[in-house]
Structures are given as structure tokens and as C-alpha cells.
């Protein structure tokens, strides 16, 4: 390819912590693509102007992180179903002159789940979900799409659990935080979509002895990689999945749109990000 190559970026405020440039940089090199992917700090008051001017700047699109996900969704000309379900976008690209918004967190989680546990059947499953924020919405949408029978949402602030249930419909059942043990006995999968368990933050209090032996435990937190929840699940002999796979898989659709190659999530890529998380 001649010329300056294709360019994409991640916008956020702050954005310095983002590992997306490492992921996309790895793929650009691996596939020999003449392109670039950088961090772009964009202040909240500048987000709309940035997004409207992206094409003129020569960008193929971008990833979007906090606090711009809702703005990105609002500004887009076309909104894909997952983005619409969440009212927020994390991936933007152009189709012709139209700016398209998608949210790839949910599908990223599902693809990681399938990669780790190919025999897990989401269809007809009962999901126990901790949290009712943006990350929880992505998980709810993905499981509804995959045909889950029931998604039980446990949240500290009950009103937020009620709000997501109202938004997503009858298969989503809101509960008090204190119901999380009694109501997770027959769950096929338990997902932590709260921020609890993050390095330097508050601990997650989630007993696991009531869970079915076949229940998969998934944590969306990936710093640390092995959270106390993941460690406790493995100690009990349960299958457990960390949050890094979701981060890697959510990046795939954007790369494919901007650079024209569907990239693979490999052990090498995972090792690169693990080394960064662990400060090696
Ligand atoms: P995200 O977009 O990453 O999901 P968020 O919208 O701030 O972030 O949601 C964070 C989630 O973690 C919420 O479900 C929050 O519960 P509340 O809705 O009650 O705030 C949950 N959370 C954070 N700190 C918590 C704590 N100390 N105990 C229980 N839940 C907590």
C-alpha cells in the first residue's frame, strides 16, 4: 500500500490507561498493515466536534471509552442493534460517508466464552449477573441475543436493577444485592459486572458454595488478572474466566472494519497484554 496508510484511534478522557493501542499495534504488525492506531485524549466538550471532524482528518474510525460512549452513539448516522440496546457505542467506522456506531463489548464477551468453553450452551441458560451499569448492559444484551432463558440482575442500588429489567424486558429479573446467593443456585453462569475486585478497590463479597458444580464463573475485571473471585472459583474446582479475553475480543470488529483484516485473538496477543498488566 502507498500513501499514509489507514488510521484509527481510541478517544477518551482520560485515555492514558488504555491498552487498545497495544492490541491493535500487535495486529497491524502481525498482518503487515500500513496503518496506525493511537490514543487521543478528547475532553468532553470537544467530543462532538472531534467525531464530526474525524473523516476530514483522514481517520477510518475509532474506539470510544469513558466518558464519550453515549455521545458517540448520539452523533452516529447509523446505529447497530447492540449499540442501540445499550444507548452507547465503543466502536465507530464509516460506510460510505455515514458514521456507523456499534457496541462490541457483549459480542466480545460471548466470543471469549465460546472460545474458552465451546460446550457451554447459552440457549435456555439462567444467568446470575452482578451489577447493573454499562458493562452489565452489554452482558445482558449478549445473553438475550444468545437465547438465555433468564438473566437475574443483582445490584447494590436496586433501582438500577429495576431500570435495566424495564429496559430489556421480561427475561431480565431484578433482585436485591442480598439475594445474590439464594438466587444463583441453579445458574449456568455467574458474571461479575461490578467494579468490585479491581486492584486498589473494594472487595467483592460473593460466596460460591451454593453454585452448581457446572456453573462457570466469569469476572469482567482484569486488573488483577486473577481476581479473588476467579481464584476462589478455581479453588472450588469451578471453571473460571478472567476479563482480559473480553477486552481482546471486543477489539476484533473495529480492526476488521478499519484495516480490512479480521484479526485473531491468540495466546501471543494475550501474553503481550498480560505482561503489560503485570508490569513486566
Ligand atoms: P460500568 O460502566 O463499568 O459498568 P458503572 O456504570 O459505574 O460502571 O457500574 C458499576 C457497577 O458496580 C454498578 O452495578 C455498581 O453498583 P451501583 O449501581 O449500586 O452503584 C457496582 N458497584 C460499585 N461499587 C460497589 C460496591 N461497593 N458494592 C456493590 N456494588 C458496587
Amino acid at each position: 500500500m502507498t500513501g499514509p496508510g489507514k488510521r484509527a484511534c481510541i478517544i477518551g478522557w482520560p485515555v492514558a490507561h488504555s491498552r487498545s493501542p497495544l492490541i491493535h499495534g500487535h495486529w497491524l504488525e502481525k498482518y503487515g498493515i500500513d496503518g496506525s492506531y493511537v490514543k487521543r485524549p478528547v475532553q468532553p466538550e470537544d467530543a462532538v466536534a472531534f467525531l464530526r471532524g474525524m473523516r476530514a482528518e483522514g481517520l477510518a474510525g475509532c474506539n470510544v471509552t469513558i466518558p464519550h460512549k453515549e455521545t458517540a452513539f448520539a452523533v452516529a448516522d447509523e446505529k447497530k442493534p447492540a449499540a442501540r440496546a445499550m444507548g452507547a457505542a465503543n466502536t465507530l467506522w464509516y460506510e460510505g460517508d455515514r458514521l456507523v456506531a456499534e457496541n462490541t463489548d457483549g459480542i466480545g464477551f460471548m466470543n471469549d466464552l465460546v472460545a474458552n468453553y465451546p460446550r457451554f450452551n447459552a440457549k435456555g441458560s439462567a444467568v446470575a449477573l452482578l451489577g447493573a451499569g454499562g458493562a452489565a448492559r452489554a452482558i445482558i444484551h449478549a445473553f438475550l441475543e444468545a437465547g438465555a432463558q433468564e438473566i437475574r440482575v443483582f445490584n447494590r442500588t436496586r433501582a438500577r436493577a429495576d431500570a435495566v429489567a424495564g429496559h430489556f424486558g421480561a427475561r431480565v429479573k431484578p433482585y436485591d444485592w442480598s439475594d445474590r446467593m439464594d438466587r444463583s443456585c441453579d445458574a449456568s453462569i455467574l458474571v461479575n459486572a461490578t467494579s468490585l475486585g479491581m486492584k486498589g478497590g473494594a472487595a467483592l463479597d460473593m460466596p460460591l458454595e451454593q453454585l452448581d458444580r457446572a456453573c462457570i464463573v466469569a469476572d469482567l475485571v482484569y486488573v488483577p488478572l486473577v481476581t479473588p473471585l476467579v481464584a476462589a472459583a478455581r479453588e472450588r474446582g469451578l471453571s473460571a474466566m478472567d476479563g482480559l479475553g473480553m477486552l481482546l475480543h471486543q477489539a476484533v470488529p473495529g480492526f476488521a472494519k478499519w484495516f480490512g483484516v479480521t484479526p485473531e485473538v491468540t495466546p501471543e496477543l494475550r501474553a503481550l497484554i498480560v505482561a503489560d498488566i503485570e508490569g513486566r
Side-chain angles (χ1 to χ4, degrees):
M1 189 199 277
T2 54
K6 293 177 182 151
R7 293 163 51 221
C9 65
I10 177 162
I11 65 164
W13 188 262
V15 75
H17 63 280
S18 172
R19 292 188 170 88
S20 292
L22 266 181
I23 299 171
H24 291 283
H26 170 83
W27 284 332
L28 286 169
E29 199 182 314
K30 174 174 171 174
Y31 297 105
I33 294 168
D34 176 21
S36 69
Y37 182 103
V38 298
K39 292 175 199 171
R40 280 285 291 261
V42 173
Q43 296 201 35
E45 58 270 33
D46 298 333
V48 171
F50 173 85
L51 292 165
R52 296 224 164 105
M54 204 160 50
R55 198 67 199 269
E57 255 199 63
L59 286 156
C62 68
N63 280 131
V64 183
T65 189
I66 289 164
H68 303 318
K69 291 184 179 189
E70 287 80 12
T71 305
F73 174 76
V75 164
D77 302 306
E78 190 184 327
K79 303 153 204 300
K80 295 287 183 188
R84 215 174 291 142
M86 280 168 254
N90 73 344
T91 307
L92 300 175
W93 67 87
Y94 289 93
E95 285 178 13
D97 282 338
R98 294 169 65 76
L99 184 62
V100 182
E102 179 57 296
N103 198 311
T104 65
D105 284 336
I107 192 71
F109 176 84
M110 254 329 147
N111 287 341
D112 186 41
L113 182 60
V114 169
N116 282 295
Y117 306 107
R119 285 184 307 174
F120 177 79
N121 189 3
K123 208 171 168 62
S125 63
V127 180
L129 177 63
L130 306 177
R137 282 173 177 253
I139 299 303
I140 292 170
H141 178 71
F143 274 108
L144 289 176
E145 286 289 292
Q149 188 185 329
E150 188 167 292
I151 301 161
R152 300 174 197 149
V153 178
F154 309 97
N155 200 52
R156 172 181 60 179
T157 308
R158 171 62 194 259
R160 277 185 106 189
D162 292 340
V164 292
H167 177 76
F168 284 101
R171 278 190 287 159
V172 179
K173 308 265 196 273
Y175 288 101
D176 289 340
W177 182 245
S178 58
D179 290 328
R180 68 195 182 287
M181 280 78 84
D182 289 351
R183 299 286 182 170
S184 58
C185 301
D186 61 338
S188 326
I189 182 164
L190 167 73
V191 183
N192 175 37
T194 72
S195 48
L196 296 170
M198 259 181 207
K199 189 175 170 183
L204 169 65
D205 175 22
M206 181 66 206
L208 302 178
E209 53 269 16
Q210 76 288 355
L211 295 181
D212 188 87
R213 301 300 302 163
C215 182
I216 294 172
V217 175
D219 204 334
L220 303 195
V221 172
Y222 60 88
V223 181
L225 204 54
V226 180
T227 58
L229 176 71
V230 167
R234 288 183 181 149
E235 243 160 65
R236 290 194 67 77
L238 299 170
S239 296
M241 194 169 105
D242 62 54
L244 180 55
M246 174 174 165
L247 176 75
L248 304 178
H249 282 277
Q250 64 77 32
V252 169
F255 191 92
K257 293 289 182 191
W258 308 319
F259 302 116
V261 174
T262 300
E264 232 191 316
V265 174
T266 57
E268 291 71 33
L269 173 62
R270 188 179 157 91
L272 180 77
I273 309 304
V274 169
D276 187 67
I277 290 170
E278 292 177 351
R280 276 187 263 132

